Amino acid sequence: MSASFDLSSLAARYAAGDAATDVIRDVYQRIKADSSSAVWISIVEEEVAVERVRSAPRGPLYGIPFAVKDNINVAGLPTTCACPAFAHVPARSATVVERLEAAGAIVIGKTNLDQFATGLVGTRSPYGIPRNAFDPDFISGGSSSGSAVAVAKGFVSFALGTDTAGSGRVPAGFNNLVGLKPTKGLVSTRGVVPACRSLDVVSIFALTSSDAARVLEVAGGFDTDDAFSRAAPGIGSPPVVGKLRIGIPAGELEFFGDKEYARLFDEATARAASLGFEIVPIDFRPFCEAARLLYSGPWVAERLAAIKDFATRVPDALHDVVGRIILGAKELSAVGAFEGLYRLAELTRAAEAEWSKMDVLMLPTSGTVYRVDELLADPIQLNSNLGTYTNFVNLMDLSALAVPQGFRADGLPFGVTLIGRAFDDPRLAQIGDRLHRALGDVTVGATTTALASLPAVAPHEDNVQCIKVAVVGAHLTGQPLHWQLTERKARYCGAARTAEGYRFYALANTTPAKPGLVFDGKGEGLIEVEIWEMDQAAFGSFVALIPAPLGIGTLRLEDGSSVKGFICESHATEGAIEITRFGGWRNWLNRP
C-alpha cells in the first residue's frame, strides 16, 4: 500500500524526520508506474523538483507536491491550454502558484484538460483522454480532467483546476474527490488563461474537505494585479438561528435515466437529515434557467474574446468540438449580451426568494456519468447534460463544494455539491466534511487511505473579535512571509498609506529582506501598507514570530485613523538605506 500524500500525513512524516526529497522521488515513481493515463502535458524534471524541495520555504505547505492545470502559468513550463499551437513559456507563474510555492509546496507538472477549458468531459484534448480513476471505460470529467485524476490516483496531494461551468466539481464527483470552487475573486486569476474571464475561478481538488480548506487559506487573498480579485468582506458566514437549512429542489430531478445516481442522491438527502440539518424544498427553476444562459447566451462570446486573435489566425488549431463552440460566438451581438445580462439579473432576483428559505443548496454534482465512447458519439448534448447542476453557480456569484456521497453498484463514484452564497466557503467546508464522513468506512480518491484516519475540518467560528494590523514589507501579498498571515486565516481589508512623519528604510543584513518604518515626526511618510485582520489568538501568535529590531506598535494612517502595525527600533537604521521617497516596499524592490 502506497503511503498517503494527504497534507496531515506528510506533515507528520516531516515532523518525524522523514526527508521531503524522498517524498518527491516517490511522486515520480508513481507517475512512471502509470504513464499511460494521459494525465500530464508537461512535468518538472525529477532532479529539479528534488532540488527545489531542498530550498523550499518551511511554510504551512512545505514539501507538499501539487499539480497545475495547463491553463495556469508556471514559470519555465509551457502553457498549452491543450492546444500545441498555442504553447508558450511564461517567465512568471500565476499569483496562485507563487503563493503556494512561497508556502513550501512543490509543483510537479501541468495537467491535461479539455482544450481552452471548454467542456465538462475530459475528452477534448490532443494530448489524450484522461480516464476515470475507477473505470477507464468512463470519462474523468472536465475540463480539469488531468488535475482530478492526478489527485485521485495519489500522484500528488492536491491539484489546481479552473471552474467556469463546473470544471472543478464534475471531475471531483466522477473520481471520489472533494472539489472546492471558491467564491469568484477569492483566488487570484492573474496568470490564468481565461475561458470566461468574468466568471473564471481557480479550483482545488483534494482528498478531503480539510485539505481543500487548508490549501485555500494559502492560495486565497486579494491581488492588486487582478482586476477581478475581491477581498472577503467579513470573517465567516452569518450565524444560523436554529437548524441549518439545506435546500433541495422540489419535485423530480433529472438523472437522464441513471437510477443509481437518483438513489444515491436520495440517500445523501436522508444522510443530511440524519446529521440534524433541516431539509427544505425549494423552487429550482430560476437556477436551472440561469444555467442554460451559459452556453445558449452571450457568455460564449466571452470565450471567443479570451482567444480571439489566436482563434482567428489559426482556426484549424482548435479541437473540432471546441472550435464549433467558440467560433460560433462570432454570430452573437452586443445587444444580445445586454439582454443576457438583464435576464440573469432577473433570475438572480427570483432566486433570492429561494435563498430566504435555505442556508445551503444541495444538488447532485452531475445527473449521470458517461462512457468515453458514448461521449465521443454525442459530444455536445451529453456535455450539456453534465452542466445541469453546475452552470449557474458562477453566473449567480455563489460558492460551491463538491463532496463524495457513495458509489453506484458498478463501483463508479457519486457526489453532491453544496452551494452557498458568496464567501460562504468556510461554512461549506464544515458541512461537506460532516456529510463526507457520514458515509462511514470509506477511502479517499482511488487510494486505500481511510477517510476516518484523516483530520476533520477545524471548527469555524462566526463573529470572532478581530484585530487589524498594517504590514509594510515581507508580509505583503506575494512576499516571502505572507504565508504567516494566510496560515492564521487573516482577512485582507484594503490598501492604505501611513500619515506623514514616518521614514522608511531598507534594513541591512536581513533575510528575507525587510524594511523598517520609523516615526520621527519629520519624514515624508505616505508609505503604502496593506491592512489585514485576524482573531486575537492568531494575532498573538503572529506577534510572537516578529524578531527584533521589528515589533508591533500603533501606526497613524493618512486618513487619520490608527491601526496596529510594524515599527522598527531607531538604532536599526544605522547602515540602512532610507527609501522613503519610493513610497512603499514594492516600489523599492521594483526600482530600475
Side-chain angles (χ1 to χ4, degrees):
M1 180 177 70
S2 297
S4 178
F5 279 170
D6 69 277
L7 270 59
S8 61
S9 294
L10 287 184
R13 287 177 60 181
Y14 297 151
D18 284 5
T21 52
D22 291 342
V23 169
I24 299 304
R25 292 200 184 279
D26 188 9
V27 168
Y28 284 85
Q29 289 302 311
R30 296 184 188 193
I31 292 171
K32 291 171 185 175
D34 191 14
S35 58
S36 63
S37 57
V39 167
W40 306 95
I41 291 180
S42 61
I43 298 181
V44 175
E45 291 183 10
E46 181 174 349
E47 293 308 317
V48 172
V50 168
E51 188 56 37
R52 285 177 180 170
V53 80
R54 288 191 176 117
S55 58
R58 294 275 176 164
L61 296 181
Y62 170 72
I64 303 296
F66 73 105
V68 180
K69 185 177 180 179
D70 197 20
N71 61 340
I72 303 173
N73 287 343
V74 174
L77 289 180
T79 297
T80 71
C81 294
C83 180
F86 183 79
H88 61 281
V89 179
R92 182 182 175 188
S93 294
T95 297
V96 61
V97 175
E98 291 178 343
R99 286 179 173 166
L100 294 167
E101 290 187 313
I106 306 299
V107 175
I108 299 302
K110 307 290 291 295
T111 54
N112 206 350
L113 67 152
D114 284 319
Q115 191 178 77
F116 291 110
T118 300
L120 293 171
V121 292
T123 62
R124 300 172 178 174
S125 171
Y127 295 98
I129 298 175
R131 303 296 179 122
N132 188 287
F134 290 83
D135 186 336
D137 288 339
F138 284 81
I139 61 173
S140 61
S143 60
S144 310
S145 51
S147 287
V149 177
V151 178
K153 290 195 170 187
F155 296 158
V156 291
S157 302
F158 71 91
L160 298 180
T162 58
D163 188 309
T164 305
S167 297
R169 291 163 277 157
V170 170
F174 290 165
N175 291 279
N176 196 39
L177 296 174
V178 169
L180 191 162
K181 187 221 74 73
T183 299
K184 283 192 301 182
L186 195 57
V187 178
S188 172
T189 54
R190 186 206 62 77
V192 177
V193 178
C196 295
R197 193 179 174 203
S198 67
L199 302 179
D200 295 340
V201 301
V202 174
S203 62
I204 299 165
F205 294 98
L207 297 172
T208 67
S209 295
S210 177
D211 277 7
R214 287 175 62 189
V215 172
L216 180 61
E217 289 172 10
V218 174
F222 185 77
D223 182 5
T224 56
D225 293 332
D226 176 11
F228 288 90
S229 182
R230 295 191 290 175
I235 302 295
S237 311
V240 173
V241 178
K243 285 186 175 181
L244 187 140
R245 303 163 301 168
I246 293 183
I248 302 293
E252 291 190 10
L253 291 178
E254 178 61 81
F255 289 98
F256 309 99
D258 192 328
K259 294 181 180 179
E260 282 285 273
Y261 264 31
R263 172 183 65 82
L264 288 164
F265 184 70
D266 287 344
E267 290 180 2
T269 303
R271 191 172 295 115
S274 73
L275 291 172
F277 300 120
E278 181 182 357
I279 305 301
V280 180
I282 61 104
D283 183 357
F284 187 57
R285 286 177 297 178
F287 302 95
C288 191
E289 188 174 339
R292 288 194 287 268
L293 287 176
L294 190 62
Y295 279 98
S296 62
W299 283 271
V300 180
E302 195 171 10
R303 291 183 180 271
L304 177 59
I307 59 166
K308 179 181 63 177
D309 293 342
F310 175 80
T312 301
R313 188 173 71 255
V314 283
D316 292 343
L318 299 180
H319 184 280
D320 176 57
V321 177
V322 173
R324 276 188 279 160
I325 293 169
I326 293 179
L327 295 177
K330 290 181 177 180
E331 307 304 318
L332 298 175
S333 69
V335 171
F338 281 105
E339 289 173 342
L341 287 170
Y342 301 154
R343 184 56 184 151
L344 176 61
E346 292 168 356
L347 293 169
T348 302
R349 177 60 55 84
E352 289 177 3
E354 304 313 307
W355 280 111
S356 70
K357 305 172 187 175
M358 62 182 173
D359 302 299
V360 172
L361 172 63
M362 187 172 83
L363 298 171
T365 298
S366 61
T368 189
V369 62
Y370 295 109
R371 296 172 62 94
V372 172
D373 56 0
E374 290 177 304
L375 198 290
L376 294 176
D378 190 4
I380 301 292
Q381 183 57 53
L382 299 193
N383 182 94
S384 179
N385 293 349
L386 295 180
T388 301
Y389 302 117
T390 62
N391 285 357
F392 67 89
V393 174
N394 284 351
L395 283 168
M396 288 183 155
D397 194 17
L398 303 172
S399 53
L401 182 77
V403 294
Q405 279 298 284
F407 292 83
R408 297 198 318 188
D410 61 3
L412 288 172
F414 168 78
V416 299
T417 296
L418 300 167
I419 300 165
R421 292 179 179 271
F423 304 108
D424 267 356
D425 309 84
R427 173 181 287 170
L428 297 183
Q430 285 202 303
I431 300 168
D433 192 51
R434 290 186 63 193
L435 200 57
H436 192 182
R437 291 174 186 280
L439 286 170
D441 184 19
V442 294
T443 54
V444 291
T447 75
T448 56
T449 301
L451 174 61
S453 69
L454 306 179
V457 172
H460 181 80
E461 299 181 37
D462 296 319
N463 303 322
V464 176
Q465 184 65 40
C466 290
I467 298 173
K468 290 182 178 179
V469 59
V471 299
V472 297
H475 290 90
L476 292 168
T477 301
Q479 296 301 307
L481 298 182
H482 182 67
W483 63 268
Q484 293 181 356
L485 291 170
T486 57
E487 184 180 51
R488 287 159 178 78
K489 303 181 182 179
R491 179 178 69 88
Y492 178 77
C493 299
R497 296 197 300 179
T498 70
E500 296 178 355
Y502 289 91
R503 295 187 188 276
F504 200 41
Y505 297 87
L507 301 181
N509 304 316
T510 57
T511 304
K514 298 182 183 70
L517 188 65
V518 177
F519 182 80
D520 66 0
K522 301 177 182 178
E524 296 177 10
L526 305 181
I527 305 302
E528 293 180 354
V529 299
E530 288 180 354
I531 311 297
W532 290 78
E533 184 176 68
M534 64 189 87
D535 65 44
Q536 292 176 339
F539 179 74
S541 67
F542 178 70
V543 172
L545 295 174
I546 299 170
L550 301 179
I552 295 290
T554 300
L555 295 186
R556 288 191 298 108
L557 301 179
E558 185 181 20
D559 63 4
S561 64
S562 298
V563 294
K564 297 301 179 185
F566 277 81
I567 58 173
C568 180
E569 298 173 15
S570 58
H571 70 82
T573 61
E574 295 180 13
I577 302 171
E578 184 173 354
I579 59 173
T580 309
R581 64 187 177 88
F582 288 91
W585 187 239
R586 287 196 184 91
N587 292 341
W588 161 252
L589 294 177
N590 296 330
R591 66 194 185 282

